Amino acid sequence: MTHHHPDHDHDHDHGSDLSPVEARVRALESLLVEKGYVEPAALDALIEMYETKVGPHLGARVVARAWVDPAYRARLLAEATPAIGELGIGGRGGEHMVVVENTPDTHNMVVCTLCSCYPWPVLGLPPVWYKAPPYRARAVSDPRGVLAEFGVSLPETTRITVWDSTAETRFMVLPLRPAGTEGLSEEALAALVTRDAMIGTGLPLSPGSGEIRP
Amino acid sequence: MNGGQDLGGGHGFGPVVPEPDEPVFHGEWEKRVFALAMAMGFTGAWNLDGSRAARESLPPAEYLSSSYYKIWLEALEKQILANGLATRDEIAAGRASTPAAPVARVLAADSLAPRFRAGFPSDRAPEAPARFAVGDPVVARVMNPVGHTRLPRYARGRRGRVEAVHGAFVFPDTNAAKAGENPAWLYTVAFEAAELWGADADPGGRVTIAAFEPYLDPA
């Protein structure tokens, strides 16, 4: 947890070593606290929530459950928000979830060309590349080229659908369960589910691959 | 608006460069901007669509050359000024010299988790029957509003098919300007990649958008 409102100057003893943007943000926070519009403790709690509690480990639980439980998978694909809620997951930025399923013939990839819409409750806050122009520009027009930049090469026969998040519906990809995972527990399966696999810019890890997230 | 934010189909931005082991925030100031924007949004002085409109109203050259949270910071200050919550002098000084304006709510640390877990749904009771059904061919309207819209330029004038009907949702184009939620039916509309990008498009590819009914005509 971080404490960095103006009353707790523990990473800068003086204002003089602040960059212009740091000084500006600090001034703005002081003003908004003084005006009574924001509570410093709530700011700290917000940061802690999105730095330590909400993240792709939650989406991975959803995917693993769908891999082991066909009835859950059916509910997830039919009405994602309540199905995700069954695992105690949901909330701001994921009020209207849609889960799209990869198959041997189709691959799904999620983007927000207009801003940075991303399913926060299952994936956390988006990485910089997801919010930056290169991905937002080309995900819709050249998905295969973008996938190559992630080291993902799909068979030519695999059709790609790109989901542009232009409203409050939020998309998560249900990737294909990797081969050779028949005996794995739900928890072990969840460890194979990367963030990028749920955006559609990656594939799940293979068991024993020794690879690391994302 | 046809601003710097409407990026779909653009060229010249270079490759996508993922950062290994990327932290959630890059630097303390990003955390504070994120939290300030969330907490100020909670006051009810503006809405989510208004925030998006403020961000995309930055001049395109500035939008495209700014980091993500820099854009949030610029937009946040703009909204604070536009809604009379502080003056330019106060923002520059970081100190209040006028009384606070009344706000509907202040986010408290202890209510944060349950409030965010409940979320802020955007679906509303429909005011009319849906004009389209799954399978209907539609064409996205050609429109160039100077205000906020969520119909990307690459889809305008293109033919697609309704793939899902989601219900009625807050209409961003009016809500952003505080001109009413005007619930509108929301659809998933799928376009063939070749319809959007021409003969060089990925074979068999498709792009879907979430399209509000006022963005669509029968095809």
Side-chain angles (χ1 to χ4, degrees), chain A residues 4 24 29 34-35 37 44 91-92 95-96 113 116 128 136-137 140 144 149 160 162-164 166 168, chain B residues 5 9 16 22 28 32 52 63 68 77 85 90 96 98 101 116 120 122 150 154 202 206 208 210:
Chain A
H4 191 210
R24 198 172 144 194
E29 181 172 339
E34 187 185 350
K35 290 266 193 184
Y37 302 143
D44 292 337
R92 195 192 190 287
E95 293 90 349
H96 309 286
T113 63
S116 55
V128 167
R136 287 165 54 191
V140 282
R144 226 171 269 269
E149 285 156 19
I160 301 174
V162 180
W163 300 80
D164 193 355
T166 54
E168 297 310 321
Chain B
Q5 89 290 354
V16 181
E22 181 176 338
E28 188 65 25
R32 307 316 290 182
R52 291 190 184 125
Y63 183 95
Y68 183 73
E77 289 189 353
L85 299 187
E90 288 176 314
T98 65
F116 272 47
F120 303 85
S122 304
R150 296 293 290 182
Y154 72 79
D202 188 44
R206 302 186 320 144
T208 77

Side-chain angles (χ1 to χ4, degrees), chain A residues 1-6 11-12 19-54 81 84-96 98 108 111-117 120-121 124-144 146 149-150 156-171 195-196 212-214, chain B residues 4-22 24-26 28-29 31-36 38-40 43 48-49 52 55-56 63-64 68-70 72-74 76-77 80 84-87 90-103 105-110 112-113 115-123 149-154 163 166 169 172 186 188 192-193 196-197 200-212:
Chain A
M1 173 145 177
T2 53
H3 297 273
H4 191 210
H5 45 82
D11 54 353
H12 293 287
S19 72
V21 73
E22 287 168 331
R24 198 172 144 194
V25 172
R26 186 172 290 201
L28 185 62
E29 181 172 339
S30 300
L31 173 64
L32 299 178
V33 170
E34 187 185 350
K35 290 266 193 184
Y37 302 143
V38 300
E39 261 187 24
L43 301 177
D44 292 337
L46 270 163
I47 293 163
E48 189 197 13
M49 174 187 287
Y50 286 100
E51 268 197 317
T52 67
K53 296 196 169 75
V54 183
T81 313
I84 292 167
E86 289 176 35
L87 304 189
I89 300 166
R92 195 192 190 287
E95 293 90 349
H96 309 286
V98 175
N108 295 284
V111 66
C112 174
T113 63
L114 297 175
C115 54
S116 55
C117 298
W120 288 10
L125 299 181
V128 167
W129 61 260
Y130 184 89
K131 306 178 287 194
Y135 183 73
R136 287 165 54 191
R138 282 173 47 243
V140 282
S141 58
D142 181 22
R144 226 171 269 269
V146 168
E149 285 156 19
F150 283 89
E156 275 181 31
T157 51
T158 301
R159 292 165 166 243
I160 301 174
T161 296
V162 180
W163 300 80
D164 193 355
S165 314
T166 54
E168 297 310 321
T169 37
R170 294 285 175 276
F171 303 94
R195 177 197 69 201
D196 289 1
I212 52 164
R213 291 160 186 271
Chain B
Q5 89 290 354
D6 189 356
L7 286 164
H11 291 146
F13 295 110
V16 181
V17 184
E19 177 187 339
D21 302 318
E22 181 176 338
V24 176
F25 298 102
H26 296 75
E28 188 65 25
W29 72 270
K31 300 179 189 181
R32 307 316 290 182
V33 169
F34 168 77
L36 287 171
M38 288 291 108
M40 288 304 292
T43 65
L48 183 57
D49 297 305
R52 291 190 184 125
R55 289 168 199 152
E56 66 201 33
Y63 183 95
L64 292 170
Y68 183 73
Y69 286 112
K70 181 71 175 1
W72 276 40
L73 174 60
E74 298 291 348
L76 179 59
E77 289 189 353
I80 289 166
L85 299 187
T87 66
E90 288 176 314
I91 288 177
R95 194 172 293 269
S97 52
T98 65
V103 293
R105 298 178 292 273
V106 174
L107 185 62
D110 55 3
L112 169 68
R115 191 63 200 80
F116 272 47
R117 176 65 184 81
F120 303 85
S122 304
D123 53 339
T149 188
R150 296 293 290 182
L151 179 61
R153 267 178 286 185
Y154 72 79
E163 206 165 84
H166 295 288
F169 282 71
L186 182 69
T188 295
E192 300 297 328
L196 300 176
W197 315 112
D200 294 335
D202 188 44
R206 302 186 320 144
V207 176
T208 77
I209 64 169
F212 292 90

Side-chain angles (χ1 to χ4, degrees), chain B residues 162-186:
Chain B
V162 172
E163 206 165 84
V165 183
H166 295 288
F169 282 71
V170 174
F171 186 48
D173 302 40
T174 53
N175 194 46
K178 293 188 182 173
E181 292 193 335
N182 297 312
W185 285 90
L186 182 69

